[in-house]
């Protein structure tokens, strides 16, 4: 059976004055293109439809993948009253009105079920989300929430425990091409070159709503110019520079910066460049990117190559001087350098270990020989007495001297790795430990004692 997307061809009586996305919305579950991992035969959401027993759920996925459509289809399948609430615009008043409508439908002559659909449910605060709980538990209505954000972080655990979570995926290129073909079959758009169609699919970036809105815009522009075919050349002129969908404050943003960071850490310059360009192409602030590169240099490279931190700071300064797009080349240069540089998180681990130690340890007094003695009284109290000035010692090192509080064991926070400059640092520390040990037992480190 042929399938349609969440925005499918109109039925015969559909008004051509409706937005294209609405005209092409599917009327049955079998018309949906995409999301077959939850809607295909034997899959969980399909089974829920076929069972005749609706259940509360969270539909989690990026924009334009059919969350609203699936909720509406569920209401149709169960002959339920459909109440839609926008968490962006709504509040407790809307929730109260939904409850009243659900009670009226339940207690009326027809005893109709109710489905309450909350779009962008993560926008509701805790108390607003909690307002649904007693009615979900009592079965007054079936709750369906739609969110682009991870519900584990954005939806109250109490509500989450009462709702199944279905993860929806961006539409594939094949799915999006089917939508273009269906719009063409319905004569909603003129003929379109295959190259232009491919470009539109890439531009949509998995978002069917974006694709259809763009097709509608192009159809109107083509009608004004009386074109019979959308060519790639004309498309580029009308569409302008392609910009991918990018939610700068949402989960996709943080997933992408995570991919960049892990590519640098994994020493893959090509992958690191790819994710950097993806973020810049999507509208990420280059200054934010520069700050993240500084963090990567200190966290994942550290003293294995101290030049990395300086290069990251230089790249940030170059961008400030040149701006876009010239300054972005410095960021790219920095990303490649960070990716190929030797890696060490020894300083990062040492810092975290020291923080953990200080947090759980008591406030140990500073040893007397390490205290400052700017006044006569302090000197009389033996502040600074016995301190050995390292520059006056052999090799600039006071062997056997203790710089930790009295009674504190050697914590060993910093453990250099055998990569890059830290190879030499580790060697130097081993030599100093030998000298300290020799000074402690009174032997000469050079006599083999």
């Amino acid at each position: 059976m042929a399938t349609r997307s969440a925005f499918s061809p109109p039925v015969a009586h559909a008004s051509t004055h409706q937005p294209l996305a609405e005209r092409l919305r599917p009327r049955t579950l079998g018309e949906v293109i995409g999301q077959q991992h939850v809607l295909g035969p034997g899959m969980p959401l399909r089974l829920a439809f076929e069972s005749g027993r609706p259940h509360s759920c969270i539909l989690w996925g990026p924009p334009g993948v059919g969350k609203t459509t699936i909720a509406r289809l569920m209401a149709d399948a169960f002959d339920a009253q459909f109440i839609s609430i926008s968490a962006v615009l709504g509040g407790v008043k809307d929730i109260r009105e939904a409850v009243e409508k659900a009670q009226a439908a339940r207690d009326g002559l027809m005893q109709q079920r109710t489905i309450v659909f909350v779009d962008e449910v993560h926008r509701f605060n805790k108390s607003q989300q909690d307002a649904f709980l007693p009615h979900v538990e009592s079965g007054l209505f079936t709750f369906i929430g739609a969110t682009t954000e991870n519900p584990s972080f954005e939806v109250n655990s109490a509500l989450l425990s009462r709702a199944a979570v279905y993860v929806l995926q961006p539409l594939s290129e094949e799915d999006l091409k089917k939508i273009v073909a269906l719009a063409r079959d319905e004569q909603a758009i003129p003929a379109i070159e295959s190259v232009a169609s491919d470009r539109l699919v890439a531009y949509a970036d998995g978002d069917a709503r974006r694709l259809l809105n763009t097709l509608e815009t192009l159809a109107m522009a083509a009608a004004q110019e009386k074109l019979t075919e959308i060519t790639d050349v004309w498309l580029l002129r009308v569409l302008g520079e392609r910009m991918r969908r990018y939610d700068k404050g949402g989960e996709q943003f943080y997933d992408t910066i995570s991919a960049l960071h892990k590519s640098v850490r994994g020493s893959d310059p090509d992958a690191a460049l790819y994710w950097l360009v993806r973020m810049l192409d999507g509208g990420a602030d280059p200054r934010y990117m520069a700050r993240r590169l500084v963090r990567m240099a200190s966290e994942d490279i550290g003293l294995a190559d101290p030049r990395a931190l300086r290069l990251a700071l230089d790249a940030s300064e170059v961008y400030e001087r040149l701006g876009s797009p010239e300054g972005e080349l410095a960021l790219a240069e920095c990303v490649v350098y960070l990716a190929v540089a030797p890696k060490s998180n020894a300083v990062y681990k040492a810092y975290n270990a020291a923080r953990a130690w200080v947090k759980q340890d008591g406030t140990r007094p500073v040893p007397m020989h390490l205290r400052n003695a700017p006044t006569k009284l302090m000197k009389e109290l033996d502040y600074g007495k016995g301190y050995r000035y390292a520059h006056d010692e052999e090799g600039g090192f006071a062997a056997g001297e203790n710089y930790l509080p009295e009674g504190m064991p050697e914590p060993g926070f910093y453990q250099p790795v055998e990569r890059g400059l830290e190879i030499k640092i580790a060697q130097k520390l081993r030599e100093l430990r030998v000298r300290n040990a020799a000074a402690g037992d009174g032997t000469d480190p050079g006599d083999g004692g």
Side-chain angles (χ1 to χ4, degrees):
M1 178 176 62
T3 56
R4 299 177 184 172
S5 87
F7 310 90
S8 297
V11 294
H13 61 271
S15 170
T16 56
H17 298 292
Q18 288 181 309
L20 184 59
E22 189 62 34
R23 288 163 53 197
L24 303 188
R25 191 183 295 276
R27 271 55 178 181
T28 67
L29 190 65
E31 295 179 344
V32 176
I33 283 177
Q35 313 310 337
Q36 294 306 296
H37 62 292
V38 293
L39 292 175
M43 294 296 103
L45 200 48
R46 169 64 71 93
L47 293 175
F49 274 81
E50 295 174 347
S51 71
R53 300 176 60 186
H55 62 266
S56 295
C57 60
I58 303 290
L59 303 176
W60 171 28
V65 297
K67 297 186 290 293
T68 303
T69 293
I70 291 173
R72 288 186 178 181
L73 289 175
M74 189 175 290
D76 291 342
F78 301 121
D79 191 26
Q81 174 182 217
F82 183 78
I83 301 175
S84 179
I85 299 174
S86 170
V88 177
L89 304 174
V92 174
K93 178 177 178 291
D94 300 88
I95 299 173
R96 188 180 303 115
E97 290 177 354
V99 170
E100 293 172 355
K101 291 179 180 178
Q103 289 171 337
R106 180 194 62 187
D107 300 334
L109 292 176
M110 302 298 293
Q111 294 186 335
Q112 189 180 27
R113 291 169 170 165
T114 297
I115 287 180
V116 176
F117 174 69
V118 182
D119 195 18
E120 304 290 341
V121 65
H122 61 275
R123 302 276 188 172
F124 271 157
N125 60 35
K126 183 179 185 301
S127 62
Q128 289 169 323
Q129 292 184 27
D130 283 345
F132 292 103
L133 290 175
H135 310 296
V136 172
E137 290 180 336
S138 69
L140 176 63
F141 55 70
T142 299
F143 172 85
I144 301 179
T147 179
T148 56
E149 303 299 317
N150 190 329
S152 299
F153 305 126
E154 304 295 341
V155 178
N156 289 355
S157 58
L159 184 57
L160 197 60
S161 68
R162 292 163 175 80
V165 176
Y166 297 107
V167 181
L168 306 186
Q169 302 294 340
L171 272 68
S172 68
E173 290 187 4
E174 181 182 352
D175 292 336
L176 293 172
K177 287 179 180 179
K178 289 179 182 178
I179 294 175
V180 175
L182 289 167
R184 177 73 186 101
D185 291 343
E186 293 297 320
Q187 298 182 345
I189 60 172
I192 182 170
E193 282 185 348
S194 60
V195 176
S197 178
D198 291 343
R199 189 180 300 278
L200 277 172
V201 166
Y203 176 75
D205 201 20
D207 185 335
R209 185 185 298 112
R210 185 180 189 185
L211 174 62
L212 284 164
N213 289 343
T214 303
L215 285 173
E216 191 164 33
T217 300
L218 292 173
M220 290 188 291
Q224 289 177 348
E225 298 187 26
K226 298 181 179 179
L227 297 179
T228 59
E229 183 180 42
I230 294 175
T231 66
D232 191 47
V233 173
W234 182 83
L235 175 65
L236 284 173
R237 178 169 64 82
V238 174
L239 193 61
E241 182 179 355
R242 179 177 63 84
M243 292 296 291
R244 291 187 179 274
R245 167 175 49 79
Y246 215 98
D247 178 4
K248 299 178 188 177
E251 184 181 11
Q252 184 187 14
F253 179 91
Y254 295 106
D255 283 347
T256 311
I257 192 64
S258 174
L260 170 60
H261 197 149
K262 289 169 182 172
S263 298
V264 168
R265 183 182 294 148
S267 300
D268 189 330
D270 286 343
L273 270 176
Y274 169 77
W275 294 116
L276 172 71
V277 174
R278 269 281 300 273
M279 296 200 72
L280 294 175
D281 178 61
D285 185 353
R287 293 176 180 84
Y288 169 81
M289 303 304 301
R291 292 195 297 272
R292 292 300 301 236
L293 295 179
V294 172
R295 167 67 185 268
M296 294 174 204
S298 58
E299 178 179 337
D300 290 294
I301 297 169
L303 293 179
D305 186 350
R307 295 169 298 182
L309 183 57
R310 183 64 261 172
L311 187 68
L313 292 169
D314 287 345
S316 178
E317 182 180 345
V318 168
Y319 179 81
E320 290 295 337
R321 291 197 178 193
L322 296 183
S324 294
E326 293 87 352
E328 292 168 2
L329 179 60
L331 301 183
E333 179 181 337
C334 179
V335 159
V336 171
Y337 187 93
L338 297 184
V340 300
K343 303 299 188 296
S344 172
N345 67 343
V347 173
Y348 177 69
K349 291 172 65 177
Y351 173 65
N352 287 335
R355 288 183 62 192
W357 177 283
V358 169
K359 186 175 182 179
Q360 60 84 31
D361 193 39
T363 303
R364 299 172 183 261
V366 177
M368 294 298 290
H369 70 287
L370 297 181
R371 298 188 186 188
N372 190 29
T375 68
K376 180 180 179 182
L377 175 61
M378 289 178 172
K379 291 178 181 178
E380 291 174 351
L381 294 174
D382 291 339
Y383 278 38
K385 183 178 181 181
Y387 170 67
R388 296 163 58 191
Y389 189 57
H391 292 290
D392 291 341
E393 302 278 341
E394 181 182 355
F397 178 69
E401 182 66 292
N402 179 44
Y403 297 98
L404 290 169
E406 296 292 339
M408 179 174 169
E410 287 282 349
F413 297 138
Y414 178 52
Q415 300 292 331
V417 300
E418 294 295 322
R419 291 187 291 275
L421 181 62
E422 284 199 325
I423 295 175
K424 293 185 177 180
I425 293 174
Q427 180 181 355
K428 177 64 177 293
L429 289 177
R430 284 193 292 269
E431 293 173 354
L432 296 181
R433 290 191 187 102
V434 169
R435 292 185 61 183
N436 277 332
D441 60 21
T443 62
D444 181 348
D447 65 7

